[in-house]
Amino acid sequence: MKELFPAKQVWGFVFSLILTLAALTVYFFNMSKAMGMTIFILTAFIQAAVQLVVFMHARETDDSKSIFMTLYCAIFLAIITVVGTILCMIWGWTY
Amino acid sequence: MGFFTRFLIPNPSPVIYTSMVAIGITILLIVFGLTHFKKWFYLWSGWLTTVDHKRIGIMYLIAALLMLFRGGVDAVMMRAQLAIPDNKLLDSQHYNEIFSTHGVVMILFMAMPYIMALMNFVVPLQIGARDVAFPRLNAISFWLFFMGAMLFNISFVIGGSPDAGWSSYFPLAGNEFSPHVGTNYYMIAIQIAGIGTLMTGINFMTTILKMRAPGMKLMRMPMFTWASLVTSVIIIFAFPVLTVALIMGTMDRLFATKFFAMTDGGMDMLWANLFWVWGHPEVYILILPAFGLFSEIIPTFSRRNLYGYRSMVASMVFISIYSFFVWTHHFFTMGQAAYVNSIFSITTMVIAIPTGIKIFNWLFTMWRGRIRFTVPMLYSIGFIPLFTIGGVTGVMLAMSAADYQYHNTMFLVAHFHNVIIPGVVFAVLGAATYYWPKMFGFMLNERLGKWAFWFLTIGFCLAFFPMYITGLDGQARRIYTYSESTGFGPWNMVTFIGTVLMAISFFLIVYTVYYSIRHAPKDVGDDPWDARSLEWATHNPVPEYNFAIIPQVSSREAFWDAKYKGHELFKGDYEKIHMPNNSGGPFIMSCIFFVFGFALVFSIWFLAIMGLIGIFVCMALRSFEIDHGRYISVEEIKETEAKYGGVNK
Ligand code: HEM
Ligand SMILES: [Cu+2]
């Protein structure tokens, strides 16, 4: 019975719900902008990791090395894009 | 009646009414022809439901040629309007619609499918596979692209075309300044086609990583396969940005959200930003496969192996990552500080280095080679100097301070046509000639092909070099007229003449195909060009299973070494071959996508919801479908191979 019960997935599901609720607090409670953004960013990244590892089985096959390579590449490009966008549209904006 | 008024065109003209009639007549003729010659069943079972990568490739090719015609007509109209000062051929609204659709059609519905055509046809053959990794997904990709393209193309007869440029900048593209449905077409048609492209990227990445013939290590892959792999990776990273930007744009237009509005916390510049985050990688999605094709053609007709294989691969991989670092160069003039512009100036200039490396590699491949001046080789040789000019002007544009002068002038227009026509268009035309015997079993006429090449090249030079001059003198792009005192008149006339030569070249190409179908010998053997890579190891035209026996690769130029160094490609005996079944699903689902898109464009909510449900039903049905494919028996293989004269050993 114990092998059949998908404990990891159930916990993953509960955990992802908790993360969602944590993000929702930003809307319902009055807090500073910095605080809100920190909560958003933290919960978003943890959420993504949970989804990848628990539900998309990123670590369960032999080619997990190449999966993570592409993943890191994607994260890298995403960071470049986001930082570049903020650089153009906010930090470096002169109008 | 009120319901139907939305389908009227806001700015009608006799030309549009004529094309409506022409479209109607063409559709009637096609329906009549299919019925008369009893071809409906053939069309359905042979093409509409096919999952064969070769047939899908050919359909992409046909679609691309049709769109080349459509975009070409737009181009001729624009240049006719500009040929003389103060011309009254088109009014400003029509001019706006024409340059907007010209750009979208040429980049997304001509160049992209042309590249997809060659990727589909060539890549599985080059890696010794029997099909792509997900054949049915491949069919969905094609049909989504096709329906997106058709949705976009009906805009000029139903409801009106987009008129905010191919980059569709907000706030101009918002409801306030573009009230009619044209820009809805833009947002939704490109979205549908874009989903198809994204799936192609996933499909080809998987195919190339997982389905190579035994012995074909990554560093033994032919260069076009490398280019396709790198391109797929760029597609997977870049297209989601476009998808999101288009959804936000659609929401702004249909549901009054404020993402790109100038009020309520919206940010109009964000569209330009997101568009080019996708847009710059997109130009590399176009050019890298073109580079790959030249890297196949040049060694074949120089009788030498490709110079600097490793540096070719390295520069492509470098470009693939680096193409995401430069997008701001498209809006240097939009208002960010000088230090921001400087950063992106430098990243942009750096990207010219790997491109330069590749140019030298091709030159060194030809150096001391025995060059045969066939049509594909002519296109490759024409490409090198002309593309280099385009690259150099690119570096000029990359200097942000100077770009304040060049930006949005004809100089910029000359730059990107100078890279796209000799780069992408020459590549696909040359490669289509090169692979024609593979696709259809006969060669295209060389003499006519050379005429077409010269008309295109001379026409290109006449059409675009004057734009560098008028651009530096300040002729702006996207302006429908200019006064005589500007002095732009004579140069624009030269441009118009060049445009006419290029149009003639298009008809010469069509005529070449027609002439060759009628007159070319049908028996050209399996290796008419004395080529080097694996796709030439099977028959012409390719049997449906590609290779009767899966080849064993032991070197970089597998087929060449089999011919001249005695490597054995096909070991062992025939075995039954597993093939995927045809399916009507992709076509039907894409038709529903079309209806869904059309309903969204005109805000017919009931129909849109029905369409959405239909799409989900199709996906659900597919999930529960059990389909194990079918087998081709050994007898059947023997029969087919006997017809071709046996496996090439
Ligand atoms: C040597 C490499 C290249 C450099 C340094 C370069 C640089 C630039 C720059 C700085 C611009 C923006 C100019 C402006 O808006 O004022 C630009 C525009 C453009 N480039 Fe390039 N480019 C290069 C290669 C290419 C290639 C290979 C392609 C396509 C195959 C291409 C296609 C385009 C297009 C389509 C636009 C303008 C789009 C528009 O505004 O409508 N470029 N390029
Ligand atoms: Cu760019």
Side-chain angles (χ1 to χ4, degrees):
Chain A
M1 205 48 212
K2 203 160 175 234
E3 291 88 81
L4 286 178
F5 185 71
K8 188 173 154 196
Q9 273 70 18
V10 172
W11 280 117
F13 185 58
V14 173
F15 192 48
S16 79
L17 285 181
I18 294 175
L19 284 169
T20 313
L21 289 179
L24 263 180
T25 55
V26 179
Y27 178 78
F28 286 109
F29 297 100
N30 210 351
M31 57 179 83
S32 71
K33 196 177 167 193
M35 183 71 189
M37 284 315 271
T38 321
I39 294 184
F40 273 151
I41 291 173
L42 274 181
T43 51
F45 276 90
I46 301 174
Q47 181 78 266
V50 170
Q51 299 293 329
L52 273 166
V53 174
V54 180
F55 297 111
M56 299 179 80
H57 311 282
R59 280 197 8 215
E60 287 162 28
T61 44
D62 320 332
D63 55 355
S64 78
K65 221 173 89 191
S66 65
I67 292 180
F68 276 91
M69 270 296 291
T70 10
L71 195 66
Y72 293 139
C73 192
I75 291 174
F76 175 66
L77 287 181
I79 290 175
I80 292 284
T81 311
V82 172
V83 172
T85 301
I86 298 176
L87 183 65
C88 297
M89 309 273 115
I90 296 172
W91 297 332
W93 194 251
T94 53
Y95 278 79
Chain B
M1 203 45 220
F3 179 79
F4 290 102
T5 45
R6 68 178 88 193
F7 298 125
L8 295 178
I9 330 190
N11 310 286
S13 80
V15 189
I16 291 184
Y17 288 130
T18 326
S19 18
M20 278 186 192
V21 175
I23 292 175
I25 293 177
T26 322
I27 293 178
L28 278 180
L29 277 180
I30 293 175
V31 171
F32 177 78
L34 285 171
T35 316
H36 183 78
F37 295 106
K38 303 202 170 59
K39 289 286 185 203
W40 282 107
F41 180 72
Y42 167 75
L43 184 71
W44 176 257
S45 65
W47 297 92
L48 300 188
T49 59
T50 189
V51 294
D52 180 342
H53 71 99
K54 301 180 285 297
R55 288 186 172 228
I56 291 176
I58 289 171
M59 290 194 291
Y60 267 119
L61 186 71
I62 295 170
L65 279 174
L66 281 175
M67 291 296 109
L68 181 59
F69 178 73
R70 157 79 213 263
V73 172
D74 284 348
V76 173
M77 284 198 285
M78 276 189 287
R79 293 324 304 190
Q81 161 65 21
L82 290 183
I84 48 175
D86 297 314
N87 200 354
K88 302 245 159 14
L89 188 66
L90 301 168
D91 58 37
S92 76
Q93 175 62 25
H94 280 131
Y95 190 81
N96 293 352
E97 293 182 14
I98 289 173
F99 72 66
S100 306
T101 51
H102 168 78
V104 174
V105 165
M106 283 302 201
I107 294 218
L108 287 152
F109 301 140
M110 186 286 286
M112 286 296 277
Y114 226 133
I115 297 283
M116 297 294 168
L118 291 156
M119 268 170 66
N120 262 285
F121 195 90
V122 177
V123 168
L125 293 173
Q126 257 188 350
I127 60 176
R130 294 223 158 95
D131 208 318
V132 293
F134 311 111
R136 199 180 291 193
L137 192 69
N138 201 20
I140 297 182
S141 287
F142 170 75
W143 287 112
L144 283 183
F145 143 72
F146 185 80
M147 293 302 166
M150 289 304 117
L151 186 63
F152 191 84
N153 272 281
I154 60 167
S155 68
F156 81 110
V157 287
I158 306 177
S161 287
D163 55 1
W166 86 279
S167 43
S168 209
Y169 279 3
F170 283 78
L172 176 60
N175 279 334
E176 192 185 340
F177 299 108
S178 298
H180 70 84
V181 296
T183 307
N184 295 354
Y185 270 114
Y186 175 99
M187 297 287 161
I188 290 158
I190 297 182
Q191 184 71 280
I192 293 176
I195 299 172
T197 309
L198 186 54
M199 295 196 292
T200 305
I202 296 170
N203 210 339
F204 275 84
M205 180 156 118
T206 319
T207 307
I208 297 172
L209 289 180
K210 292 281 180 195
M211 299 188 42
R212 277 165 289 137
M216 183 177 281
K217 305 197 181 101
L218 279 180
M219 285 314 262
R220 282 184 187 161
M221 293 196 311
M223 199 45 70
F224 180 60
T225 301
W226 256 114
S228 302
L229 176 63
V230 171
T231 306
S232 305
V233 174
I234 309 184
I235 288 178
I236 293 171
F237 289 140
F239 265 75
V241 181
L242 178 70
T243 308
V244 170
L246 287 172
I247 290 180
M248 290 158 86
T250 312
M251 303 262 283
D252 269 16
R253 290 190 55 90
L254 296 182
F255 308 116
T257 53
K258 302 278 183 187
F259 291 114
F260 306 128
M262 289 182 294
T263 53
D264 301 302
M267 188 169 212
D268 46 352
M269 268 7 156
L270 190 59
W271 165 269
N273 185 70
L274 290 177
F275 184 86
W276 289 115
V277 167
W278 160 79
H280 187 83
E282 163 67 16
V283 307
Y284 280 95
I285 292 170
L286 294 177
I287 200 69
L288 287 180
F291 286 172
L293 291 168
F294 288 125
S295 305
E296 298 297 327
I297 294 171
I298 291 176
T300 300
F301 296 108
S302 310
R303 278 189 137 256
R304 290 199 49 194
N305 60 338
L306 187 65
Y307 183 91
Y309 181 95
R310 276 165 196 284
S311 63
M312 284 297 216
V313 173
S315 58
M316 271 194 304
V317 173
F318 179 78
I319 289 177
S320 74
I321 305 276
Y322 211 74
S323 64
F324 287 88
F325 296 0
V326 299
W327 76 96
T328 302
H329 67 218
H330 291 277
F331 44 90
F332 279 146
T333 56
M334 247 188 222
Q336 56 279 27
Y339 80 90
V340 179
N341 279 350
S342 310
I343 295 173
F344 286 97
S345 273
I346 292 170
T347 55
T348 305
M349 289 180 209
V350 169
I351 212 166
I353 298 172
T355 319
I357 293 177
K358 299 181 82 75
I359 298 272
F360 280 108
N361 281 340
W362 289 310
L363 290 176
F364 286 135
T365 308
M366 285 194 268
W367 179 254
R368 300 245 173 100
R370 251 175 294 153
I371 296 180
R372 280 176 289 160
F373 290 93
T374 57
V375 172
M377 190 60 178
L378 276 183
Y379 278 112
S380 315
I381 293 176
F383 148 79
I384 291 178
L386 292 177
F387 182 84
T388 307
I389 298 174
V392 169
T393 55
V395 178
M396 290 172 70
L397 288 162
M399 295 183 274
S400 57
D403 187 60
Y404 274 71
Q405 174 70 18
Y406 310 140
H407 182 60
N408 270 355
T409 65
M410 286 298 172
F411 187 89
L412 162 69
V413 176
H415 154 68
F416 69 75
H417 285 87
N418 207 161
V419 276
I420 290 181
I421 294 178
V424 184
V425 177
F426 277 24
V428 292
L429 291 178
T433 316
Y434 182 59
Y435 285 115
W436 198 269
K438 241 334 58 217
M439 294 180 183
F440 302 106
F442 62 91
M443 314 269 274
L444 287 178
N445 186 287
E446 282 279 303
R447 197 170 41 86
L448 283 170
K450 284 180 187 165
W451 276 102
F453 166 78
W454 285 112
F455 265 93
L456 183 61
T457 306
I458 295 171
F460 165 78
C461 294
L462 288 180
F464 292 101
F465 289 160
M467 287 189 203
Y468 283 124
I469 299 167
T470 59
L472 287 180
D473 275 348
Q475 188 186 6
R477 76 194 284 206
R478 295 175 175 165
I479 303 285
Y480 81 113
T481 187
Y482 54 91
S483 71
E484 206 184 333
S485 59
T486 54
F488 301 149
W491 288 122
N492 279 283
M493 187 43 112
V494 176
T495 292
F496 178 62
I497 295 168
T499 313
V500 173
L501 293 186
M502 299 211 301
I504 295 174
S505 153
F506 176 81
F507 288 108
L508 275 174
I509 289 167
V510 175
Y511 180 68
T512 315
V513 173
Y514 169 79
Y515 180 89
S516 311
I517 292 175
R518 303 271 319 255
H519 300 290
K522 292 282 178 275
D523 178 25
V524 292
D526 289 343
D527 182 23
W529 305 112
D530 195 12
R532 314 176 78 87
S533 44
L534 214 47
E535 70 270 30
W536 298 97
T538 179
H539 307 294
N540 286 340
V542 186
E544 77 168 312
Y545 47 75
N546 292 358
F547 296 92
I549 300 168
I550 292 291
Q552 309 262 337
V553 178
S554 52
S555 66
R556 226 172 244 167
E557 300 194 302
F559 182 52
W560 183 265
D561 293 344
K563 277 191 295 190
Y564 296 105
K565 295 190 186 154
H567 290 193
E568 202 182 338
L569 276 181
F570 301 106
K571 298 179 191 146
D573 257 329
Y574 298 139
E575 278 164 43
K576 62 179 181 172
I577 296 175
H578 185 223
M579 299 292 289
N581 280 325
N582 282 0
S583 160
F587 179 71
I588 293 170
M589 185 164 115
S590 306
C591 286
I592 303 177
F593 252 103
F594 180 91
V595 174
F596 171 61
F598 186 83
L600 277 188
V601 168
F602 289 98
S603 314
I604 310 171
W605 303 119
F606 172 71
L607 194 59
I609 293 169
M610 294 302 287
L612 199 59
I613 294 175
I615 293 166
F616 280 112
V617 169
C618 286
M619 293 201 273
L621 286 179
R622 170 64 179 145
S623 305
F624 291 108
E625 186 182 334
I626 296 172
D627 178 0
H628 294 301
R630 70 200 154 85
Y631 282 94
I632 301 181
S633 67
V634 175
E635 287 77 60
E636 246 178 286
I637 303 172
K638 276 191 183 145
E639 239 171 72
T640 321
E641 289 296 311
K643 253 189 271 162
Y644 284 108
V647 177
N648 300 318
K649 289 235 178 185

